[in-house]
Amino acid sequence: MALEWDYASVAADYDARPPYVAAALAACFDDLPFGSHACDVGAGTGRLAAALAARGFAVAAVEPSPAMRARGVANTAGLSRVAWLAGRAEALPLPSACRSLVTFGASFNVVEPDAALAEAARVLVPGGRLACLWNHRVLDDPVQRRIEERIRGLVPGYRYGSRRDPQDDVLRASGRFARVRALEAACVHRVPVAVWMTAWRSHLTLRRQAGAHFDAVLEAIAAVVAAEVEDEIAVPYVTRCWLAERR
């Protein structure tokens, strides 16, 4: 079955995206026992899987795209705690009740939520933790506000989709999770301009909605950045997490 959101075409650019805010990861995971077994769903190129392994988790990194998975395998080659599996959120290739943590790092918005939550609940032990995380640019920053204006001028009606929406109602409505809560932490990432512009090329939501105007949008973003900085840009980000526990 073809993937509705297939990141194969942007896999080479995906690693340029900024990391999750360290304080948010600590708040989400540092209270769990060292050596706990985790499943990172839609693991992409391995950014969250590597962060979990560094915290002592044994991670099954599940990724449907061969191109993304290949980059993830290469990126985590030195991490014995990460094992890569081909699979989808709606049919995880794991036995029932085998994980104490299931994570969706910037992936819950591109899966079928009911089926994905059913599978997450299936592989979690009772009381196991679910975590859905996203990185967001802080859009009221002056430079980011100008970028948003340029995007919307070229792509009228542009939407970020459900990734910026609250997830608590979705998690509660599944009936499989309790103690639903949100947390977030912010920081400023200082990024070489060339790297940051590469990351924009992996923005599949923007690419799909911009269509033939995508390159023009990137040129407009680059022009805004060039008017502000030369080699490095300071970008405020917030990592927003939604946590819940399997009933």
Side-chain angles (χ1 to χ4, degrees):
M1 181 184 297
L3 294 171
E4 180 182 356
W5 290 83
D6 189 350
Y7 281 79
S9 64
V10 299
D13 302 319
Y14 204 88
D15 285 335
R17 293 189 177 199
Y20 294 103
V21 178
L25 297 183
C28 283
F29 307 125
D30 281 4
D31 62 321
L32 297 176
F34 186 94
S36 296
H37 286 75
C39 173
D40 185 30
V41 183
T45 62
R47 180 67 59 82
L48 182 54
L52 292 171
R55 285 174 155 75
F57 291 93
V59 186
V62 178
E63 170 55 45
S65 167
M68 294 284 277
R69 195 167 62 249
R71 294 190 72 87
V73 169
N75 288 342
T76 59
L79 301 176
S80 61
R81 292 181 177 274
V82 180
W84 285 85
L85 300 171
R88 302 179 63 154
E90 300 85 357
L92 294 174
L94 292 168
S96 298
C98 68
R99 301 283 142 171
S100 57
L101 172 66
V102 170
T103 59
F104 291 83
S107 61
F108 189 65
N109 56 301
V110 297
V111 303
E112 200 293 305
D114 290 339
L117 290 175
E119 277 293 272
R122 181 184 65 80
V123 303
L124 280 169
V125 298
R129 182 171 301 174
L130 174 76
C132 302
L133 301 84
W134 288 271
N135 254 356
H136 301 303
R137 288 177 300 123
V138 176
L139 299 182
D140 59 5
D141 169 77
V143 174
Q144 301 309 314
R145 188 163 56 243
R146 285 193 285 277
I147 287 172
E148 290 299 298
E149 291 169 356
R150 298 302 300 273
I151 291 174
R152 295 175 191 282
L154 290 164
V155 189
Y158 177 69
R159 280 199 77 248
Y160 278 95
S162 63
R163 68 192 314 272
R164 286 182 176 264
D165 294 342
Q167 303 296 320
D168 47 349
D169 286 347
V170 177
L171 299 179
R172 291 190 181 98
S174 75
R176 297 178 173 89
F177 295 93
R179 295 196 66 220
V180 179
R181 58 207 186 274
L183 62 85
E184 63 181 46
C187 77
V188 175
H189 289 303
R190 297 189 177 276
V191 188
V193 169
V195 173
W196 199 63
M197 290 307 304
T198 296
W200 273 100
R201 300 201 70 85
S202 75
H203 200 317
L204 205 59
T205 300
L206 177 58
R207 185 185 289 267
R208 286 169 63 145
Q209 294 182 50
H213 301 292
F214 183 65
D215 286 341
V217 172
L218 294 188
E219 290 172 5
I221 295 170
V224 171
V225 173
E228 299 291 334
V229 299
E230 293 184 2
D231 299 323
E232 187 179 73
I233 183 170
V235 187
Y237 276 90
V238 59
T239 294
R240 189 163 293 128
C241 314
W242 299 88
L243 304 177
E245 293 179 6
R246 182 190 179 280
R247 293 186 183 275

